[in-house]
Amino acid sequence: MSNMSLTSREYGFPKSGTSARAMDPFTHGTRWLMNAWRKHQESRANAIAIAQLRALDDRILKDIGLHRGEIASAVLNPPDERRIRFHNANASHE
C-alpha cells in the first residue's frame, strides 16, 4: 500500500482555519438570493421614479431643474457622477 495521505481539501472539507459557515452552500445561496432581491427592488424603484417623472409636464420638470432627456440620468446616476447641463442666458456665444 502506498504511503499516500489525503488532505481535507481532497475530501471537500474546509481548510483548517476556515470556518464551516463560510463554506456552507446554504449561507452562500441565501446571501446571493438576498442580493438579487435587493437589486430587483432597486431596479423597480428606479423604474417607478422614471415613470413618475416622465408623467410630469415640461413646465414642472423645468421647475425642478430637469429636462425631459435627463430623467433617466437623474434617477440612475449618483449626483456626483451625473453630467448636469448648465445654461447661462447671459453668456455671449462667439
Side-chain angles (χ1 to χ4, degrees), residues 22-86:
M23 299 294 290
D24 181 18
F26 179 75
T27 303
H28 176 71
T30 303
R31 188 175 305 121
W32 178 86
L33 185 60
M34 289 172 55
N35 286 336
W37 180 252
R38 181 184 48 79
K39 288 179 183 180
H40 171 73
Q41 293 290 81
E42 288 175 5
S43 176
R44 289 297 306 142
N46 288 340
I48 290 169
I50 289 171
Q52 289 174 339
L53 286 170
R54 285 183 177 160
L56 299 176
D57 64 3
D58 290 334
R59 184 177 49 92
I60 294 174
L61 287 174
K62 183 178 178 182
D63 286 346
I64 61 175
L66 284 176
H67 295 275
R68 192 157 295 281
E70 298 173 324
I71 291 173
S73 175
V75 173
L76 299 176
N77 297 322
D80 56 335
E81 293 181 11
R82 193 173 141 235
R83 290 181 53 187
I84 301 173
R85 178 173 31 148
F86 292 100

